[in-house]
Amino acid sequence: MQQRDRIISLALLLLALATPVLFLTGYALNGQEILSRSTPHLVVAFVCLSIGAGASAYLLLQRNPLFVRLVAAVALVVLLGSVSYVRVAWGQNMSRAIAQLRREPFAAGQVGVLLCPTDQSAGALRQARDLQQLIERTVDGAQLGDRIEAQIAYPVSS
């Protein structure tokens, strides 16, 4: 019986440690798009996060060795911190996108170039910013910086 409890505790500890690692890996690969997915994707992601948090909390409340409880506490804090970090970063990105949609893109008498990434991935946004910098350098080189402006426009998925 005691051996079975140790195996279950080890499995839960591995789950508790893997959850924030997998979530942060998903964020690193997908950027803020991780929270802009469809509802079923978000449900699966948050159910998995809940299972990992539940495993950590269960290990904290059981009579496990101090080391196991400390590792579970660290895993829970890292999980909650990573979810908070991703949510704040996503919220800032959405605030910028909404502000971009609400304002007039260019002043009167100014020529404007709107650049929109093909999707909401980090790679597409990086390419659009590179293109924006190229256009701005070209315009500044021709001394037309006050008459021509290039801006990033964010794609709205819904």
Side-chain angles (χ1 to χ4, degrees):
M1 184 70 161
Q2 194 175 26
Q3 183 68 19
R4 188 176 125 230
D5 290 342
R6 285 184 184 169
I7 292 173
I8 290 173
S9 291
L10 180 64
L12 289 174
L13 189 61
L14 290 174
L15 177 66
L17 290 172
T19 303
V21 170
L22 291 175
F23 182 68
L24 289 173
T25 302
Y27 177 70
L29 294 175
N30 297 308
Q32 271 117 28
E33 186 179 323
I34 197 167
L35 294 180
S36 299
R37 300 214 180 244
S38 65
T39 303
H41 284 109
L42 285 176
V43 167
V44 169
F46 282 104
V47 164
C48 292
L49 289 171
S50 299
I51 290 171
S56 295
Y58 178 80
L59 289 171
L60 279 170
L61 297 175
Q62 293 298 312
R63 293 185 181 152
N64 289 315
L66 181 61
F67 175 74
V68 171
R69 293 192 328 214
L70 285 175
V71 171
V74 167
L76 184 59
V77 167
V78 169
L79 176 65
L80 294 175
S82 64
V83 170
S84 297
Y85 171 75
V86 169
R87 193 273 175 234
V88 166
W90 178 81
Q92 290 172 348
N93 190 30
M94 287 299 107
S95 295
R96 276 194 308 272
I98 290 170
Q100 183 78 20
L101 288 173
R102 288 189 176 158
R103 74 177 187 98
E104 292 201 22
F106 305 102
Q110 194 175 38
V111 175
V113 179
L114 283 177
L115 304 166
C116 186
T118 55
D119 55 31
Q120 295 181 0
S121 68
L125 183 59
R126 194 175 320 110
Q127 287 177 342
R129 285 205 174 123
D130 290 344
L131 185 57
Q132 178 188 16
Q133 289 174 354
L134 177 66
I135 291 171
E136 287 173 349
R137 283 194 306 262
T138 304
V139 166
D140 288 341
Q143 298 176 346
L144 296 172
D146 58 337
R147 298 188 62 216
I148 300 174
E149 183 179 349
Q151 294 180 9
I152 299 289
Y154 294 92
V156 178
S157 59
S158 62

